[in-house]
Amino acid sequence: MSAAGTTRGFLRKAGLSFAAGLLMGALYWAMDLTSPAPPLLGLTGLAGIVLGERAATAVRDRPARRRPAPPPSAAEEGTPRVP
């Protein structure tokens, strides 16, 4: 995927998230409710979720980067194996 396609995908997801937030804000306003968490606390929680996701991905992918690729087998090379 190109950088433009990646950026476009991110912007689409960000736009949908923002629109969902606006919709929920309008519903809270229409029902005369207050947010269940103060805005700063909510944003801090979201930042923690994002950082945790990235850390878990980095830890998961780390061993795969250090491990060398196994040598190809004789069947994969297409040549008969000589004992």
Side-chain angles (χ1 to χ4, degrees), residues 22-47:
L22 283 176
L23 178 64
M24 289 308 299
L27 287 174
Y28 272 58
W29 174 81
M31 294 187 292
D32 198 25
L33 297 173
T34 58
S35 175
L40 184 57
L41 183 61
L43 290 176
T44 304
L46 288 173

Side-chain angles (χ1 to χ4, degrees), residues 5-6 8-9 13 15 20 28 33-34 36-39 47 49 53 60 71 74 79-80:
T6 303
R8 198 171 327 144
K13 291 175 186 175
Y28 272 58
L33 297 173
T34 58
I49 291 170
E53 177 187 9
R60 181 192 66 204
T79 58

Side-chain angles (χ1 to χ4, degrees), residues 63-71:
R65 281 187 262 148
R66 285 192 280 165
R67 192 176 314 135

Side-chain angles (χ1 to χ4, degrees), residues 48-69:
I49 291 170
V50 170
L51 291 175
E53 177 187 9
R54 289 184 185 231
T57 302
V59 168
R60 181 192 66 204
D61 293 345
R62 186 174 179 196
R65 281 187 262 148
R66 285 192 280 165
R67 192 176 314 135

